[in-house]
Amino acid sequence: MAEHLVELNVTGMHCNNCAMSIHKLLEKKGLQNVLVSFASEEVKFSNESQLALPQIIKDIESLGFKVVDEEDQQPAPFFAKIENKFAFCTLFTAPLLLHMVLPWHFLHNPIFQLILCLPVFVIGCLHFGKSAYSSLKNGVPNMDVLIFIGSTSAFVYSLVGTVQNLGEHYLFYETSATIITLVLLGNVLEKRSVNQTTSAVRDLIKFQQVNANRVVESGVEVVNAKDVLSGDILLVNEGDQVPVDGDVLSGDALVNEAMITGESLPVPKTKYDKVIGGTILQQGNIRIMATKVGSNSTLSQIIDLMKKAQAAKPPVQKLGDKVASIFVPVVILIALTTFVITYFATDAGLQRSMMNAIAVLVISCPCAMGLATPTAVMVGLGRAAKNGILIKGGDTIEAVANTRYVIFDKTGTLTTGKFSIHHIKPEEGFTIEQIRGVIMAIEERSNHPIAKSMVNELLQLPQQKLILRAVTEEKGLGMRAEDVDGNRYFLGTAKHKTEDNFYLTLYRNQVRMAQIAVDDTIKPDAASLIAQLKKDGITPVLLSGDKKSRCLAVAKTLNIDEVHFEMLPDDKLQVVDMYRKKGKTIMIGDGINDAPALTQADVGVSMNDASHIAIQSAKVILLNTDLQSVVKFLQISRHTLLTIKQNLFWAFAYNIIAIPVAALGFLNPMVGAFAMAFSDVIVIGNSLRLKVKKVN
């Protein structure tokens, strides 16, 4: 059955636990590729079994959330916003806390304290109670169950003390209110921080929200970029953002593509060139025809890739999720045991036993565990994207960590794909300067990429000038020319190519003047990349369909010991498979002839320009052709995994220490609530550090 992708906007998620309860509900229903982000209020899944969508929406809403239509989204009511709930509760909690430091008599009055606590308790019940009840109903108890039980116990205990007039030892209204207020504060901080971690995607979305100048019969009309249709003619002026992907019909321009490819130098564009939506026209004016619009555009695909990537769970996170799901029942059990032991085995009395149990409930928060991985993955992917590295999936980051082999394709990966004169072999009676002069004079008139490369190179070298009267290009053969003295020249592909190089031959009046060996140039940073990989204990491998002599020459220059040449796509698959059996393998190729091998590797990396962004075979796409981004990719991946491990260690260690301390009565519930919020902030802070820290 065809896969059917569904996207919903869901409001009311205030922390990672809410997202997790929706995630578990949808997985229970057998839906695939579930992605729930509480920060962007998005829920996505593929509905292969074609379950009725209204029923799925009803089930999500039964958890206490609201599915809204993006088009007619109403402004949210005041109390729907977590920040407003927190501000409202703080207003009532502050005077409640003051009675602990100020001697004013009315602050100690039980009725006054009840009046202050009640609004906070009602907000807490609605906020945490609804979510707690729904999670219990669906058999996946979440953190809100603990918060709800803790704050309610303190409130009911105090209410009984007030009604029966048992004195101030029975008043813990401030505990109930403070727990609710501090946990709301934690939710506010969590939401803000996660918003920061998803900023890379939001920055890209901003690039889509622009206007376009559409050429119509009456002149030019300004439309929103999302209303542009394929085939529309658009005018892009200096300083404008290119609204959609397209082909240049007329005009010349310099385009800054840094936000897509990470390439800092502006790229010249002229007729027939492709432009990418979201890039900036720095100089000139062009007329383009829209080709890829809407969800087909390069930018949309990047955004989609990033969203999917942020949702793909690495194995490390799955461990965190498992722990968090069995955590809540265990904590309730520990809290009950604490109450029973403290009350019956010691003389601590009801009040102390109660407070210890509440402290256990409040302090044990698996939120930090739930946040440990997604926040680090989001920041890591965002940082990679800013460096022109698109990673499809958080699980890719983990796959990279213990890489043993990096397999490179040759042409366009380790070499530039631009050609240079490797060697000129003059025939007897001709000088090298004379031959250079002839090649220069002829090739200046050609548009062929090899010709352009040769001209650039010859400009720097001594040569004997030659003045030509006429030059004609014969497609597929070469160039014919005539000089002012009537000599006729031909420069073209040699009839008999030798094994080692791609030869051109130069004739004058049908006499051979020289043979020219033209070769692909090695990228300037290839040697340092290979050296860096070897230093990190990774074995570089060259895998190419090219001739043996050329592959060996490149391997020798770059100091690569393992070489496989004259390989067809099928052979490449077998070689990749062989290395995978020995250890984790990354394959780096130019994405088209290497597509099967890229899919086969543990991680396929496509060295590609942005127009091929959608090559589905690679898990990583390097948007700039600079090979240093391979090193950058490995470094960012390693540091992201390191951050995840630090976060999980902190989250586990916090709970292992905090629960016994609370159970033994060394922490009151208010300090517990504060410590719980603080643990989330530390985990998120550590993840955000990844934005700026050195990753060498």
Side-chain angles (χ1 to χ4, degrees):
M1 191 159 285
E3 189 173 296
H4 177 49
L5 193 73
V6 181
E7 293 185 32
L8 301 172
N9 280 66
V10 177
T11 59
M13 290 188 277
H14 53 266
C15 75
N16 204 52
N17 282 298
C18 301
M20 253 169 71
S21 51
I22 294 180
H23 200 288
K24 283 180 183 160
L25 167 81
L26 297 178
E27 276 187 345
K28 254 181 158 180
K29 294 181 81 66
L31 298 166
Q32 304 291 315
N33 306 321
V34 180
L35 180 166
V36 184
S37 163
F38 84 87
S40 55
E41 303 195 319
E42 277 184 311
V43 173
K44 289 186 185 181
F45 51 87
S46 51
N47 187 2
E48 286 167 32
S49 47
Q50 306 288 319
L51 291 173
L53 190 60
Q55 186 55 46
I56 296 173
I57 291 175
K58 200 173 157 197
D59 290 341
I60 293 175
E61 292 192 330
S62 77
L63 285 177
F65 307 106
K66 188 141 181 58
V67 178
V68 293
D69 185 1
E70 210 173 353
E71 296 307 312
D72 50 58
Q73 219 170 325
Q74 302 298 320
F78 181 81
F79 278 122
K81 278 193 158 174
I82 190 88
E83 291 85 355
N84 296 344
K85 286 181 186 173
F86 167 66
F88 178 82
C89 290
T90 307
L91 208 64
F92 288 91
T93 306
L96 261 178
L97 284 174
L98 283 176
H99 93 275
M100 298 167 91
V101 285
L102 293 174
W104 299 342
H105 180 70
F106 69 91
L107 286 177
H108 294 259
N109 183 312
I111 302 296
F112 183 71
Q113 288 188 16
L114 171 61
I115 291 167
L116 284 175
C117 181
L118 198 59
V120 181
F121 182 65
V122 169
I123 293 275
C125 279
L126 293 173
H127 185 80
F128 300 111
K130 205 156 100 181
S131 158
Y133 171 69
S134 313
S135 76
L136 285 169
K137 197 171 79 177
N138 283 286
V140 276
N142 65 12
M143 253 316 290
D144 294 339
V145 174
L146 304 183
I147 306 303
F148 181 71
I149 296 174
S151 54
T152 307
S153 319
F155 182 79
V156 171
Y157 184 80
S158 309
L159 191 62
V160 170
T162 306
V163 171
Q164 296 186 359
N165 208 0
L166 298 173
E168 64 179 38
H169 289 302
Y170 278 81
L171 298 184
F172 288 96
Y173 289 118
E174 75 281 350
T175 303
S176 177
T178 310
I179 290 170
I180 291 166
T181 307
L182 282 175
V183 177
L184 285 173
L185 171 65
N187 288 170
V188 169
L189 294 173
E190 192 178 331
K191 189 155 190 174
R192 285 209 180 152
S193 310
V194 175
N195 271 333
Q196 243 183 309
T197 63
T198 50
S199 63
V201 171
R202 284 204 316 282
D203 290 349
L204 288 176
I205 290 172
K206 276 189 204 137
F207 282 111
Q208 290 184 305
Q209 296 159 348
V210 290
N211 288 332
N213 301 318
R214 181 157 59 190
V215 178
V216 288
E217 278 178 22
S218 55
V220 175
E221 63 169 356
V222 178
V223 294
N224 193 303
K226 64 171 192 275
D227 299 328
V228 172
L229 303 174
S230 187
D232 281 354
I233 310 297
L234 308 174
L235 203 58
V236 189
N237 300 319
E238 196 165 303
D240 284 357
Q241 192 176 304
V242 178
V244 293
D245 293 15
D247 293 338
V248 179
L249 296 176
S250 62
D252 295 285
L254 282 177
V255 178
N256 181 344
E257 297 188 338
M259 56 78 56
I260 296 277
T261 63
E263 173 62 63
S264 51
L265 292 172
V267 184
K269 299 283 180 186
T270 184
K271 193 172 180 179
Y272 304 128
D273 284 342
K274 294 191 179 311
V275 287
I276 306 166
T279 55
I280 309 289
L281 198 76
Q282 280 193 342
Q283 197 182 321
N285 299 295
I286 49 174
R287 194 178 273 247
I288 67 169
M289 180 162 91
T291 52
K292 293 184 194 158
V293 296
S295 59
N296 293 325
S297 73
T298 300
L299 200 53
S300 290
Q301 288 178 350
I302 293 177
I303 291 166
D304 206 45
L305 280 182
M306 293 218 21
K307 283 183 178 175
K308 280 197 185 116
Q310 289 181 347
K313 291 184 180 182
V316 170
Q317 182 176 357
K318 290 171 185 160
L319 166 74
D321 284 357
K322 277 199 184 97
V323 173
S325 64
I326 53 169
F327 196 82
V328 176
V330 170
V331 169
I332 292 174
L333 199 66
I334 294 172
L336 285 172
T337 312
T338 302
F339 178 79
V340 171
I341 292 174
T342 317
Y343 186 67
F344 291 107
T346 68
D347 300 330
L350 180 66
Q351 173 203 326
R352 179 73 189 276
S353 313
M354 186 105 167
M355 285 300 120
N356 290 4
I358 291 173
V360 169
L361 288 172
V362 173
I363 198 160
S364 43
C365 171
C367 269
M369 272 183 253
L371 286 170
T373 307
T375 53
V377 167
M378 282 171 184
V379 178
L381 293 171
R383 177 155 181 184
K386 281 203 163 68
N387 283 286
I389 304 160
L390 277 188
I391 303 173
K392 304 181 188 176
D395 45 356
T396 304
I397 283 176
E398 200 156 338
V400 170
N402 312 311
T403 303
R404 287 269 312 277
Y405 300 96
V406 175
I407 302 177
F408 294 92
D409 172 51
K410 181 176 78 73
T411 312
T413 304
L414 290 173
T415 62
T416 57
K418 294 193 176 99
F419 293 83
S420 63
I421 296 171
H422 179 60
H423 177 57
I424 294 178
K425 193 163 123 193
E427 299 294 334
E428 216 172 308
F430 299 106
T431 66
I432 189 96
E433 284 82 6
Q434 190 183 0
I435 291 160
R436 282 180 190 150
V438 178
I439 298 172
M440 180 77 181
I442 294 173
E443 296 290 49
E444 268 183 326
R445 314 277 189 97
S446 170
N447 277 325
H448 195 281
I450 294 181
K452 285 181 174 172
S453 300
M454 286 164 73
V455 168
N456 285 338
E457 199 177 343
L458 290 170
L459 279 171
Q460 327 295 325
L461 300 169
Q463 55 191 263
Q464 195 178 316
K465 287 271 182 280
L466 175 73
I467 299 168
L468 296 177
R469 182 189 293 158
V471 179
T472 55
E473 188 165 353
E474 292 190 6
K475 285 274 182 250
L477 289 173
M479 306 283 288
R480 294 196 183 280
E482 190 184 338
D483 67 12
V484 286
D485 300 327
N487 293 308
R488 292 170 181 276
Y489 298 89
F490 175 74
L491 172 62
T493 315
K495 297 267 189 306
H496 310 288
K497 287 185 199 171
T498 54
E499 142 85 355
D500 37 323
N501 276 313
F502 166 56
Y503 269 94
L504 292 173
T505 316
L506 177 64
Y507 293 91
R508 183 174 79 179
N509 301 328
Q510 295 183 340
V511 175
R512 188 162 73 186
M513 289 179 80
Q515 289 177 300
I516 302 129
V518 176
D519 215 348
D520 196 352
T521 48
I522 291 173
K523 287 186 179 174
D525 43 7
S528 64
L529 167 63
I530 299 299
Q532 173 84 38
L533 290 176
K534 285 184 155 183
K535 202 173 113 192
D536 290 347
I538 296 170
T539 310
V541 180
L542 182 63
L543 175 64
S544 175
D546 211 344
K547 295 266 187 299
K548 177 179 177 178
S549 56
R550 284 209 222 160
C551 290
L552 292 175
V554 169
K556 190 177 172 196
T557 310
L558 295 176
N559 201 7
I560 296 175
D561 305 319
E562 304 199 16
V563 188
H564 304 266
F565 41 80
E566 297 176 19
M567 290 273 153
L568 296 169
D570 244 14
D571 306 328
K572 286 187 176 183
L573 268 181
Q574 284 162 12
V575 173
V576 170
D577 216 31
M578 177 185 88
Y579 280 106
R580 275 190 75 186
K581 288 191 175 93
K582 295 198 233 172
K584 281 272 170 71
T585 302
I586 292 178
M587 163 87 192
I588 302 179
D590 58 2
I592 298 164
N593 57 343
D594 301 312
L598 289 172
T599 314
Q600 185 77 354
D602 290 303
V603 176
V605 178
S606 168
M607 293 285 299
N608 243 335
D609 60 0
S611 55
H612 290 289
I613 193 73
I615 286 198
Q616 293 305 313
S617 41
K619 285 193 181 150
V620 179
I621 296 162
L622 306 179
L623 297 178
N624 53 21
T625 47
D626 166 14
L627 277 172
Q628 279 311 307
S629 50
V630 175
V631 176
K632 201 76 171 161
F633 158 60
L634 291 172
Q635 289 170 338
I636 290 172
S637 297
R638 271 185 199 157
H639 277 272
T640 305
L641 195 64
L642 179 70
T643 305
I644 292 173
K645 286 178 175 165
Q646 288 167 345
N647 286 353
L648 283 172
F649 169 78
W650 164 254
F652 280 116
Y654 162 81
N655 280 301
I656 288 164
I657 295 164
I659 293 176
V661 169
L664 294 168
F666 296 119
L667 273 182
N668 75 26
M670 281 185 283
V671 176
F674 182 75
M676 181 197 114
F678 189 63
S679 73
D680 288 2
V681 174
I682 284 199
V683 163
I684 293 167
N686 190 41
S687 295
L688 289 174
R689 209 166 55 94
L690 190 57
K691 265 190 179 179
V692 289
K693 81 177 208 184
K694 280 204 175 109
V695 291
N696 301 350

